[in-house]
Amino acid sequence: MDIDTLVRGLVNGSLYALVAVSFNILYRPTNVFNFAQGELVMLGAMVFASASTLMGLPWIGALAVALVAVGILGLIEERIAVAPVLAKSQHNTGWVITTLAVSLIISNLVGRVWGPDPIMVEPPPLLSTQTLDWTGIQINSYQIALIIVTFVMVLAIERVYRTRHGKAVLATAEDREAALLRGIDPAKLSRWSFFLGGAFAGLTGVLAAPILYASTALGPSLLLKGFAAAAVGSIGNNRGALIAGYLIGLTEAIGASVLSPGYQEAVIFVLVLTLLLLKPHGLFGRPFTRTV
Amino acid sequence: MADKLLSVETVDVGYGHVGVIENLSLAVPKGAVVALVGRNGAGKSTLLRAVSGLLTPSKGRIVFDGRDIGRAKPHAIVDAGLLHVAEGRRLFRSQTVDDNLELGAYGTSLSKADFAGRVERVHELFPILKEKRHDLAGALSGGQQQMLAIAQAMMRDPKLLMLDEPSLGLSPLLVDQVFAAILSLRGSGTTILLVEQLVERALEIADAAYVMQNGRVIANGPAAEIAKSEALKTAYMAV
Amino acid sequence: MASTAPSPTRMRYLPVVAQLAFAAAALSVPFFLSGGSYLLYVATQLGVYVVAAIGLNLLAGYVGQVSLGHAAFLAIGAYATALLTVDHQWSFWAAAVVGIVLSAGLGVLMALPSFRLTTWYFAFITLAFALVFEKMIVEWRGLTKGFAGVIGVPPPQFFGFELGQKALYWLVAGTAIVCFLIVRNMVKSRFGRGFVAVRDTPAAALAAGASPQRLKMLGFIVAAAFAGIAGAFFAVQKTVVTPDDFTADFSIFFLLTVVLGGLGTLWGPVFGALVFFLIPELLHGLESWRMLVYGCILLVLMLFAPQGLVGALNAGVRRLTARPRGAPGAAAATSAAAPVAHPPIAGAALAVEGLKKRFGGVAALDDVAVRAGPGTCCAIVGPNGSGKTTLLNVVGGFYERDEGTVQIDGRETRGMSAQAVAGLGLGRTFQTPRLLNDLSIVDNVLLGAFTRERAWLPEIVLRLPRARREAAALRAEALGYLDFVGIADRAEDLASEVPHGQQRLVEIARALMGGARLLMLDEPAAGLSMVELDKLEQLISRIRDLGATVVIVEHHLDLVASIASHVIVLDRGRVLAAGAPSEVFADPAVQRAYMGERAVQGAPAS
């Protein structure tokens, strides 16, 4: 493997890992796997692009707008598409269809508002997407920053689970009823998790935009690779998601030098599926499911 | 009684179409230990689940500390000071003993010092929890888990503690330890509603008792009288 | 949710009449339209979608496996047909068969993940598959001709005659009717009951000896084959096949069709496709808003009408035709006061030795032995958490044991799956009755006969004489068992409408229906009224006296004392005492386990 392939794999892998972590944030207290997550990432990129290029906000300001906007959308999704379904029964899987519906609505609304053309997004000040030839390695400062930020974010999320609220989320995932009897309000945790998971997805979109451009096409592909990273890394396991994200990113980068893009996805799909058939709970874990 | 801490008034409770409890009334005076006994399937656990808000009664009122809690959410009931230690030691097994204790205080605005004080108190009550503080809750023995479950509830300094089958599946030695713990809670003035299949032991430490059968109370009164009553034998041995 | 119609006798023919009327209306459409009309083209297309939707409904509605990639199955049928007829001059019929086989083969592949992964995981994989597949069609230019697609698919020929638009319509409509009938006949058979059991209560399926894997596989194959057929027609009807025809949106369209019509209802996909098809026609000017509208409809439906149009309609009809409570039903006349005669049962002996089972660090069963012979009742008692239900689950093949032997009728059951153990003649009931709430009581009892039915799938689908005879005979037998347990008057009620006490009786009837020779009852008396308890006692005694081996886990010591000849007391996973009820209940150790240290003073009167 040459260094260029490695860089490309790590950069894309970082994005997949971030999407996977955002899945996990929602999944832990609710056992819901949000089918609209890819569109939340996409929306983050679009809002950021508009806020920075059209409204002329500084990078950090546009970032804040994107995070809050997507976080609130996540919260709205929880209120209208997830909570009502789970209120009927905790084991109702109707949310598969309702979150899918939300994904259709977001992706089509965004398509109406922003149109189909990709928007170019500048990286934050001091960083650049201009590739440097650095001792023979083709890399740019934004790529380096992205990989570092990914590590920092995953570690930060892990820290959150060490706080009392974080422990309460884990407790709810493990035994919802016992959590209720200890004064934990799962409904509130679920709302918070959708807000934070949404904001995290928005952040992923903002980070992805300078590399992949902001466009409606961002949603489906990140949804699938993010899901693959979450599943391979064991659902709910953030470190697993990080490693799996890189595994998938690297596999894809290596494949790209051999195969055309369409086949690439097919090969990854077959690899992930085979792995899940052999190890249904992913590489890193025991099943992270709630006791009935 | 003016100083009733909990009073359940003519409630019906069920799951879906299936009624389990009919027209049941019960009162727990402040500072007392009240035992609730009866055969399996009599509806004892269902009653506790209704009191702690996991189930909603279809009829009647549940008044705790002067407030009607019949339709309150479980976490609001916990915040009001009513703690339910459910059957089967429902702990967070993949978290440590310390984490479980910390979760016991979830949502309270205890200062660091007060929190440490509470931890110290439950460590005094159950020294083993101090010794095993960094172990996973799931790795504890059955008796230790039961103690942790009670300790977790004690972290909130409850006004009323409801214990559902604390001796379940424990060896006699561990049962003794659990009962000793209940006695010491009683000594410190905690009001307790105890559901227990070891009827004799429960009646020994209780002030008053209710006997349930088929979703109704068939007898109630001072524990010593209930222990000798025919109703108790009826409830356990006959139809 | 299910299709079983309410059937006071005069209503039994209503569904058939409705089906005939609908089929006649569908087949007469070409008489009102000219050959080349746009409406006929649209009507043909509608028929194609109905075929695919019927298959998806079987999978998502009955088997409970939501596929978000149904368009891929259609694509295979369509491309196979188009490529073979255009490039290789095959006849439509041969090409279509290849398309169907390929599509069904893919269905088999897609079934594999559903064996090990939960429903939503599986939904994700099908979605991923559809997206990947969409790109593959474009990419694999050598085969699929890329974006340009396959152009000029010839119409089917029939003995040298080219089928015109009208004939093609009849072909498609006829196929749709046949598909409807296939699914109808399947759903009403043991397969339908098995599907619903797999969807709602897999434990009940296992206890009845049905294999969830095989049933899922069957659902996938049928759904994929139907999609393959639809794809073949799609190709000849449109004459052009391009990658744009089979986008992920198309899969969503099918999902919406069945959700709108009503998941798990027979008519759901038909009505769903009809209504759904009209929407794009009505919204013609709003073409670009279509997916947005779809998304909104999908969301609103799932939240407010998860059973769809037909589900809501069925519920309404049920409410109108419901008998007033307590009034005698159609079958009540057969329910006599005297006990119903029943031939003897050749009981199967149970012999358990040295059984051990640990969960993590806790010994749930430690050196447990149980012996029960034909015509006797053995009771297992003990405090909560002493391992009684675990024992039943190990014997039933639901849990693997760590050590020890379990023999049923002299056969060692080590390594056997739950459904294999059920095949040895073990029938069981659950602590909380596991009934299929959406099916009638008699259908629930019929589930018990799953492994006894001999008719093959083709016979059932074609309603050949043997299948019909067998279905009628089994139904009569099931009604007989309902009579035997004393609730024949509730035969046609939905299981969810029946009170708790009677649900237990349904489970016993289901076990007997399965030819149970060893019956394990888990707390059958819990929550029963005095009257129900009396009846239960008589019922269990009769089953025992007919020769069956009965093993009962129970807390009602009175009941135990009156029906059991042998009692085993479990305490924390160990056998504390065993013997005749009178001895065992007088044992101080047993009383201690039950009531506490000093309960020994007054021994129970019983």
Side-chain angles (χ1 to χ4, degrees):
Chain A
M1 180 179 10
D2 61 37
I3 302 287
D4 288 349
T5 313
L6 182 72
V7 170
R8 206 168 336 114
L10 288 179
V11 168
N12 287 336
S14 295
L15 294 175
Y16 305 153
L18 288 173
V19 177
V21 169
S22 78
F23 271 125
N24 287 341
I25 294 174
L26 302 191
Y27 181 78
R28 271 178 158 166
T30 57
N31 270 16
V32 166
F33 218 84
N34 184 16
F35 278 67
Q37 199 70 10
E39 305 306 339
L40 293 183
V41 174
M42 180 272 289
L43 190 70
M46 300 304 273
V47 170
F48 177 82
S50 295
S52 64
T53 49
L54 302 182
M55 290 161 59
L57 286 181
W59 194 87
I60 196 80
L63 174 71
V65 170
L67 294 198
V68 172
V70 182
I72 288 174
L73 195 71
L75 185 61
I76 293 172
E77 184 189 2
E78 197 269 350
R79 292 285 84 201
I80 63 168
V82 177
V85 173
L86 293 183
K88 286 179 199 160
S89 152
Q90 274 300 310
H91 299 285
N92 191 331
T93 48
W95 53 261
V96 170
I97 295 175
T98 54
T99 59
L100 184 74
V102 169
S103 125
L104 285 179
I105 294 171
I106 297 176
S107 110
N108 284 282
L109 269 183
V110 169
R112 302 294 306 180
V113 175
W114 274 277
D117 297 327
I119 307 169
M120 216 177 89
V121 176
E122 288 294 322
L126 303 181
L127 296 177
S128 155
T129 47
Q130 293 295 312
T131 304
L132 305 169
D133 197 333
W134 179 60
T135 60
I137 304 167
Q138 305 273 316
I139 195 162
N140 63 52
S141 55
Y142 186 72
Q143 290 172 325
I144 296 170
L146 176 66
I147 295 168
I148 294 170
V149 167
T150 301
F151 268 90
V152 171
M153 288 311 296
V154 172
L155 292 179
I157 289 291
E158 284 294 279
R159 291 294 300 176
V160 171
Y161 285 108
R162 297 308 309 153
T163 66
R164 192 176 290 179
H165 288 297
K167 287 173 189 170
V169 167
L170 298 180
T172 307
E174 186 173 339
D175 187 338
R176 188 184 167 87
E177 196 172 286
L180 279 167
L181 291 180
R182 290 294 163 264
I184 296 169
D185 180 3
K188 196 166 145 195
L189 292 179
S190 159
R191 289 195 293 274
W192 269 106
S193 293
F194 265 82
F195 177 78
L196 291 176
F200 200 90
L203 172 71
T204 308
V206 171
L207 294 175
I211 297 170
L212 303 174
Y213 297 107
S215 89
T216 47
L218 209 55
S221 85
L222 284 181
L223 175 83
L224 292 183
K225 306 243 175 71
F227 165 71
V232 170
S234 299
I235 309 273
N237 184 339
N238 289 327
R239 288 162 202 235
L242 185 66
I243 298 169
Y246 287 129
L247 279 179
I248 291 170
L250 289 172
T251 312
E252 188 186 47
I254 296 165
S257 47
V258 190
L259 295 165
S260 65
Y263 289 113
Q264 232 181 81
E265 289 203 343
V267 168
I268 289 186
F269 175 75
V270 170
L271 286 178
V272 169
L273 192 61
T274 315
L275 191 116
L276 288 182
L277 286 176
L278 298 175
K279 290 182 77 85
H281 301 295
L283 288 178
F284 304 96
R286 52 201 168 79
F288 200 95
T289 49
R290 178 187 299 153
T291 49
V292 181
Chain B
M1 248 185 287
D3 58 346
K4 275 190 280 191
L5 182 59
L6 173 74
S7 93
V8 175
E9 297 164 13
T10 63
V11 299
D12 285 4
V13 191
Y15 299 88
H17 295 295
V18 189
V20 178
I21 288 179
E22 269 175 56
N23 205 30
L24 186 140
S25 298
L26 168 151
V28 181
K30 205 166 267 176
V33 173
V34 173
L36 181 59
V37 299
R39 195 170 39 204
N40 231 334
K44 303 172 308 251
S45 294
T46 306
L47 178 67
L48 296 199
R49 290 169 67 83
V51 172
S52 59
L54 295 176
L55 293 171
T56 308
S58 51
K59 190 194 122 220
R61 294 199 325 149
I62 300 175
V63 179
F64 175 68
D65 209 11
R67 272 177 55 201
D68 187 346
I69 55 164
R71 317 220 153 258
K73 291 253 169 64
H75 63 92
I77 293 171
V78 170
D79 286 341
L82 196 166
L83 269 287
H84 175 183
V85 179
E87 193 182 354
R89 307 184 283 276
R90 302 282 286 271
L91 293 167
F92 308 118
R93 287 158 192 279
S94 57
Q95 302 198 46
T96 64
V97 170
D98 266 1
D99 286 347
N100 270 277
L101 290 181
E102 187 182 344
L103 283 168
Y106 180 81
T108 58
S109 49
L110 289 178
S111 69
K112 268 216 160 98
D114 286 348
F115 177 77
R118 295 260 172 101
V119 172
E120 203 166 306
R121 218 184 93 200
V122 301
H123 280 168
E124 254 165 52
L125 206 53
F126 307 112
I128 189 74
L129 298 182
K130 188 171 186 179
E131 203 177 297
K132 304 237 170 190
R133 61 190 309 166
H134 299 301
D135 289 15
L136 291 185
L140 299 185
S141 75
Q144 292 163 354
Q145 288 185 4
Q146 187 62 57
M147 287 174 204
L148 178 55
I150 297 174
Q152 210 183 23
M154 294 308 295
M155 288 298 291
R156 275 180 186 261
D157 201 10
K159 293 186 181 126
L160 172 64
L161 188 60
M162 300 197 297
L163 301 175
D164 196 352
E165 307 270 14
S167 74
L168 192 80
L170 301 187
S171 70
L173 189 68
L174 290 172
V175 171
D176 287 344
Q177 285 181 22
V178 168
F179 271 86
I182 296 173
L183 270 175
S184 98
L185 289 178
R186 184 200 151 135
S188 65
T190 310
T191 310
I192 295 173
L193 177 58
L194 174 66
V195 168
E196 180 51 65
Q197 54 181 346
L198 299 178
V199 183
E200 284 290 323
R201 310 246 354 210
L203 294 180
E204 237 167 52
I205 62 168
D207 301 303
Y210 286 77
V211 183
M212 275 185 79
Q213 186 180 17
N214 283 340
R216 297 158 197 268
V217 170
I218 56 165
N220 69 321
E225 282 175 29
I226 291 292
K228 285 179 254 152
S229 72
E230 271 308 303
L232 186 64
K233 275 179 198 157
T234 317
Y236 274 84
M237 292 301 174
V239 177
Chain C
M1 200 152 170
S3 57
T4 39
S7 47
T9 332
R10 62 187 134 67
M11 289 200 59
R12 187 158 297 163
Y13 295 102
L14 192 66
V16 180
V17 171
Q19 284 165 17
L20 282 173
F22 191 86
L27 290 174
S28 62
V29 165
F31 295 119
F32 304 104
L33 299 171
S34 66
S37 79
Y38 176 67
L39 273 179
L40 189 61
Y41 176 84
V42 168
T44 313
Q45 204 173 8
L46 178 61
V48 171
Y49 291 175
V50 167
V51 171
I54 287 174
L56 180 61
N57 179 49
L58 183 79
L59 184 61
Y62 288 97
V63 189
Q65 298 291 320
V66 180
S67 156
L68 303 181
H70 214 56
F73 294 107
L74 260 99
I76 291 180
Y79 268 95
T81 306
L83 289 169
L84 289 174
T85 52
V86 173
D87 286 1
H88 303 277
Q89 287 78 44
W90 282 36
S91 87
F92 166 77
W93 312 100
V97 168
V98 171
I100 294 165
V101 169
L102 284 178
S103 185
L106 184 71
V108 172
L109 280 183
M110 290 311 290
L112 294 178
S114 79
F115 292 169
R116 296 195 66 180
L117 302 172
T118 57
T119 306
W120 63 263
Y121 231 118
F122 171 74
F124 228 113
I125 286 168
T126 54
L127 179 69
F129 173 72
L131 289 170
V132 168
F133 193 82
E134 190 187 330
K135 290 201 176 146
M136 283 293 295
I137 297 178
V138 178
E139 205 71 28
W140 200 351
R141 277 180 213 91
L143 183 72
T144 63
K145 305 178 199 287
F147 279 117
V150 190
I151 302 163
V153 182
Q157 301 211 334
F158 194 67
F159 294 112
F161 293 101
E162 216 166 66
L163 295 188
Q165 262 226 40
K166 285 193 178 184
L168 183 62
Y169 172 83
W170 273 313
L171 181 63
V172 170
T175 308
I177 291 168
V178 169
C179 288
F180 178 91
L181 292 177
I182 289 175
V183 167
R184 184 198 71 176
N185 294 345
M186 259 176 95
V187 162
K188 286 188 171 177
S189 74
R190 65 179 160 136
F191 295 105
R193 292 185 284 272
F195 288 154
V196 175
V198 167
R199 182 190 74 194
D200 293 345
T201 52
L206 288 170
S211 154
Q213 274 87 353
R214 284 194 198 176
L215 284 164
K216 280 184 188 172
M217 182 69 89
L218 176 63
F220 274 99
I221 292 176
V222 173
F226 281 17
I229 297 172
F233 286 138
F234 185 99
V236 289
Q237 186 248 349
K238 279 210 155 174
T239 69
V240 179
V241 178
T242 67
D244 284 345
D245 292 327
F246 307 103
T247 58
D249 289 358
F250 197 44
S251 296
I252 304 294
F253 162 83
F254 281 112
L255 180 69
L256 187 45
T257 303
V258 293
V259 171
L260 176 73
L263 280 166
T265 60
L266 269 185
W267 283 98
V270 180
F271 281 125
L274 262 175
V275 173
F276 214 90
F277 209 69
L278 294 177
I279 296 174
E281 293 301 312
L282 293 175
L283 297 177
H284 215 63
L286 302 170
E287 176 67 22
S288 53
W289 292 93
R290 206 181 58 195
M291 284 317 287
L292 187 61
V293 176
Y294 285 4
C296 293
I297 297 177
L298 206 48
L299 184 60
V300 170
L301 272 175
M302 277 312 286
L303 293 179
F304 300 105
Q307 321 249 304
L309 294 174
V310 176
L313 203 69
N314 276 351
V317 170
R318 266 201 102 70
R319 220 167 294 135
L320 287 177
T321 58
R323 285 181 284 113
R325 278 188 88 79
T334 59
S335 155
V340 182
H342 188 283
I345 300 170
L350 173 70
V352 175
E353 290 297 338
L355 196 62
K356 290 188 182 174
K357 173 75 192 169
R358 300 182 72 83
F359 289 112
V362 185
L365 294 174
D366 192 2
D367 203 16
V368 172
V370 181
R371 283 190 169 275
T376 67
C377 173
C378 172
I380 297 162
V381 302
N384 250 346
S386 56
K388 302 180 301 281
T389 299
T390 308
L391 174 61
L392 294 196
N393 280 333
V394 172
V395 172
F398 283 80
Y399 295 161
E400 267 178 47
R401 72 192 88 151
D402 294 330
E403 273 176 55
T405 59
V406 175
Q407 292 189 339
I408 295 175
D409 214 9
R411 295 221 9 222
E412 170 59 48
T413 66
R414 177 174 287 278
M416 280 189 175
S417 63
Q419 74 256 29
V421 175
L424 294 179
L426 172 74
R428 71 172 292 187
T429 68
F430 296 89
Q431 224 170 62
T432 13
R434 303 279 175 89
L435 296 185
L436 313 177
N437 284 332
D438 295 332
L439 297 189
S440 68
I441 293 295
V442 64
D443 275 325
N444 268 281
V445 176
L446 278 166
L447 176 66
F450 190 89
T451 53
R452 288 178 48 208
E453 280 192 62
R454 293 279 80 89
W456 295 3
L457 183 62
E459 292 179 277
I460 286 170
V461 162
L462 298 172
R463 302 197 71 208
L464 294 184
R466 181 165 90 138
R468 293 167 75 158
R469 267 201 312 277
E470 189 178 55
L474 284 173
R475 198 180 162 80
E477 194 183 334
L479 288 171
Y481 275 116
L482 281 175
D483 214 2
F484 183 78
V485 301
I487 49 169
D489 56 325
R490 309 296 307 247
E492 299 298 340
D493 292 345
L494 289 186
S496 55
E497 294 168 346
V498 167
H500 197 65
Q502 297 189 344
Q503 295 195 355
R504 295 190 181 283
L505 298 177
V506 176
E507 279 207 316
I508 294 177
R510 182 165 73 190
L512 291 173
M513 187 74 196
R517 303 186 294 129
L518 164 62
L519 201 59
M520 298 198 306
L521 310 174
D522 196 353
E523 298 201 22
L528 294 197
S529 70
M530 307 274 192
V531 184
E532 289 173 324
L533 207 56
D534 251 9
K535 283 189 177 164
L536 181 76
E537 185 185 324
Q538 289 171 22
L539 178 64
I540 299 175
S541 309
R542 288 190 53 211
I543 295 170
R544 177 197 63 200
D545 295 343
L546 284 170
T549 312
V550 179
V551 175
I552 176 174
V553 163
E554 190 45 69
H555 284 287
H556 259 266
L557 299 191
D558 245 26
L559 177 70
V560 167
S562 78
I563 59 172
S565 51
H566 191 79
V567 177
I568 292 166
V569 184
L570 287 186
D571 188 30
R572 278 168 276 127
R574 299 186 65 94
V575 176
L576 186 68
S582 53
E583 298 162 23
V584 168
F585 293 150
D587 185 340
V590 172
Q591 295 190 351
R592 257 200 304 281
Y594 255 83
M595 295 185 65
E597 215 47 60
R598 293 190 290 109
V600 194
Q601 8 161 318
S606 57

